[in-house]
Amino acid sequence: MYEGPVQDLIDELGRLPGVGPKSAQRIAFWMLDQPVEDIERFARVVGEVKARARFCQVCFNVSQEETCRICRDARRDQSVICVVEESKDVVAIERTREFRGLYHVLGGAISPIDGKGPADLHIRELLSRLADGTVTEIILATDPNTEGEATATYLSRLLKDMGLRISRLASGLPVGGDLEYADEVTLGRAFEGRRYVDGSPAGRA
């Protein structure tokens, strides 16, 4: 245990996801060794994130404006929506350059253990986007783990009677992993090889 603000900093860093006590201590002492102007810049950026960052009113991706750059891009294929769990998954898919449609960020996955059900996700907003008939295909790109599979299954059942083609990313993604950590080649191949829920190949988006 350290005195005063040093321990306070370690405690706060330890609250970050994936940062344990030893990592928090190491980061805290690294920060103590940095020039004051670097730490002030870091603190300013953190403050600006909370003040300026928001979520797109259409797809719920992270944005600086009311709608994100992808939703504003008229060149994107308006007939296809790729459904993902988090904004970081949008970045992962965009790196592959395999997909030119739109996105919908659920804000998580169905997880009874964490007390998160369908009502806690942006599913109602997804249904609203489908109401005008512009969208003809939904790609379910939730993480290949238990929660992601449960979410994909729930959505496929919910959407199956809406006259949409519903596809799921193909094999190639590691079971139990996250899209965020998949390399571009693996994720790109998964996109190219995705299949419709009825078993037929979907091809390139």
Side-chain angles (χ1 to χ4, degrees):
M1 298 292 290
Y2 299 91
E3 293 184 0
V6 173
Q7 187 60 49
D8 291 342
L9 177 59
I10 293 173
D11 291 342
E12 290 303 313
L13 290 171
R15 295 173 58 191
L16 297 174
V19 178
K22 290 184 178 180
S23 295
Q25 178 176 297
R26 185 165 57 251
I27 295 170
F29 279 96
W30 175 84
M31 295 177 75
L32 285 175
D33 288 337
Q34 303 309 302
V36 173
E37 56 270 21
D38 288 356
I39 300 304
E40 289 177 344
R41 183 174 62 252
F42 176 81
R44 185 170 61 253
V45 169
V46 172
E48 288 178 354
V49 165
K50 291 299 294 181
R52 298 173 56 191
R54 61 185 69 182
F55 294 99
C56 175
Q57 293 184 351
V58 177
C59 73
F60 298 95
N61 189 18
V62 171
S63 176
Q64 281 191 324
E65 302 180 29
E66 290 187 357
T67 54
C68 70
R69 61 175 180 80
I70 294 175
C71 287
R72 295 195 307 269
D73 189 349
R75 297 170 298 178
R76 308 286 301 206
D77 185 350
Q78 307 291 309
S79 68
V80 185
I81 289 180
C82 181
V83 179
V84 298
E85 294 180 23
E86 306 288 353
S87 293
K88 58 183 171 56
D89 301 327
V90 173
V91 174
I93 293 172
E94 284 294 285
R95 285 202 306 261
T96 71
R97 300 183 180 180
E98 290 288 340
F99 180 66
R100 293 299 301 167
L102 303 176
Y103 293 93
H104 190 84
V105 180
L106 294 172
I110 296 173
S111 179
I113 294 179
D114 297 323
K116 203 160 193 174
D120 300 307
L121 307 178
H122 297 302
I123 294 176
R124 185 186 304 107
E125 293 84 354
L126 173 62
L127 297 177
S128 296
R129 296 181 66 184
L130 304 176
D132 65 3
T134 301
V135 177
T136 59
E137 179 181 354
I138 294 290
I139 301 172
L140 301 176
T142 51
D143 289 337
N145 54 28
T146 302
E147 293 80 7
E149 291 296 332
T151 304
T153 299
Y154 176 86
L155 288 174
S156 63
R157 291 174 178 172
L158 184 67
L159 303 173
K160 67 178 181 179
D161 295 326
M162 298 184 65
L164 300 164
R165 297 304 301 269
I166 303 172
S167 60
R168 182 86 168 101
L169 290 190
S171 59
L173 294 174
V175 175
D178 295 330
L179 289 179
E180 178 186 15
Y181 302 114
D183 62 272
E184 289 89 340
V185 174
T186 299
L187 192 53
R189 287 175 178 172
F191 239 90
E192 288 183 328
R194 73 186 192 281
R195 303 185 68 84
Y196 289 109
V197 174
D198 62 12
S200 60
R204 194 182 183 95

